[in-house]
Amino acid sequence: MAETRIPAADGVVTALWRHPVKGFTPEPLDAVDLPTGGWFPGDRMFAVEDGPSGFDRAAPEHLPKQKFTVLMRTAEVAGVRTRWDETARTLHAAAAGQTDISVAVDDPDSRAAFESWLAAVLGDAVSGPLRLVSAEGLDHRFMDHPLGRISLLNLASVRDFEARIGRPIDPRRFRANVWVEGWPAWSENDGADRDLTLGDARLRGVKPIVRCAATHVDPDTAERDFDLVPALFEQYGHRWCGLYATLAAGGMVRVGDRVEMT
């Protein structure tokens, strides 16, 4: 019997996000130039080790997220606001009760000052030592899945989930690169090995995104306030929300561009 495909109507890009430091603040974009075979620009270029992770710039390999300061294990990370200035090559960070800090990422002393600052902010929530590591210039990013080079979130799926559980869900909890409006709810679950057109770029679906406890953290309050993953499984029998894809052919993507899955 032939495999049944769920048809996906044309959608629209309603938001674009990059997360320069794994686990930390998302930054909205109006447009992005996606590179063929590459990664979402500016996304997960940096990470903060919580103790030695085994990351080696000379031979980078995919590592479990638990090796880093991420929301799954450290909700307090959401209370640290970061901003990446790629022109100045400076990472700006702020947290309640602390003096803001600017990090010249190419300066070892500046990185060390940030690591000490962050250790003071996170306190007993981390084991340490903390170390800012970079995948810049490498064919590597600190993604949760080795084949997930860009992540898409179907907003209709989030709304369907909200309706079932009777509470709002901030889409930022899912930390996706692209928010899509106009697809039927959960049509992305059938997106593996399908072709996607995203503005001027072409993508290839990889797999639905299995969610973890990072989604339990409110992105504004840094409180672990809702067991989202068990609720997702209770309602649908799976822990998926979103779609990983690879970049088959690069091109510009802008908020408002058409999205098609075939």
Side-chain angles (χ1 to χ4, degrees):
M1 179 179 294
E3 181 182 1
T4 300
R5 289 287 196 178
I6 300 173
D10 290 351
V12 174
V13 175
T14 60
L16 296 165
W17 301 90
R18 69 179 186 183
H19 310 74
V21 185
K22 183 177 182 64
F24 288 78
T25 310
E27 299 178 7
L29 303 170
D30 295 322
V32 64
D33 190 4
L34 299 180
T36 301
W39 308 82
F40 191 93
D43 193 57
R44 279 114 171 156
M45 295 184 304
F46 303 100
V48 179
E49 292 180 332
D50 187 2
S53 70
F55 175 68
D56 181 1
R57 278 189 57 88
E61 296 181 351
H62 178 74
L63 295 168
K65 69 182 80 176
Q66 294 89 339
K67 298 284 188 179
F68 304 99
T69 54
V70 292
L71 296 171
M72 178 182 179
R73 59 180 294 188
T74 311
E76 291 82 356
V77 168
V80 180
R81 308 301 177 188
T82 56
R83 179 176 58 83
W84 169 238
D85 183 338
E86 53 199 327
T87 301
R89 299 193 50 71
T90 300
L91 179 68
H92 302 276
Q98 298 287 331
T99 302
D100 295 358
I101 188 169
S102 296
V103 188
V105 297
D106 298 320
D107 181 347
D109 291 338
S110 187
R111 292 198 305 271
F114 169 67
E115 293 155 1
S116 297
W117 179 92
L118 186 60
V121 171
L122 299 179
D124 293 339
V126 292
S127 301
L130 304 183
R131 185 170 75 100
L132 181 67
V133 293
S134 170
E136 283 191 292
L138 304 177
D139 185 21
H140 180 83
R141 291 293 182 269
F142 297 103
M143 301 293 291
D144 288 350
H145 189 278
L147 297 179
R149 298 202 169 204
I150 181 172
S151 56
L152 297 92
L153 181 68
N154 182 356
L155 295 180
S157 301
V158 178
R159 288 195 300 272
D160 185 73
F161 187 31
E162 289 177 325
R164 289 205 183 195
I165 62 175
R167 63 158 291 164
I169 299 293
D170 190 325
R172 289 179 299 160
R173 288 181 186 252
F174 299 100
R175 300 183 63 77
N177 298 127
V178 183
W179 291 3
V180 178
E181 191 67 270
W183 282 355
W186 306 110
S187 58
E188 71 279 13
N189 288 354
D190 192 40
D193 299 321
R194 295 179 75 167
D195 294 320
L196 299 97
T197 301
L198 191 67
D200 296 331
R202 289 191 295 106
L203 283 62
R204 184 73 172 173
V206 172
K207 66 183 295 291
I209 300 173
V210 178
R211 291 302 170 178
C212 70
T215 58
H216 297 188
V217 180
D218 185 297
D220 289 322
T221 68
E223 296 291 329
R224 202 177 295 278
D225 65 345
F226 173 49
D227 290 340
L228 187 150
V229 176
L232 191 62
F233 186 79
E234 179 180 351
Q235 295 297 326
Y236 301 102
H238 63 70
R239 298 177 178 85
W240 302 336
C241 193
L243 177 68
Y244 279 131
T246 57
L247 296 165
M252 287 296 302
V253 180
R254 301 169 180 82
V255 172
D257 276 355
R258 178 169 168 265
V259 184
E260 181 183 4
M261 182 161 62
T262 57

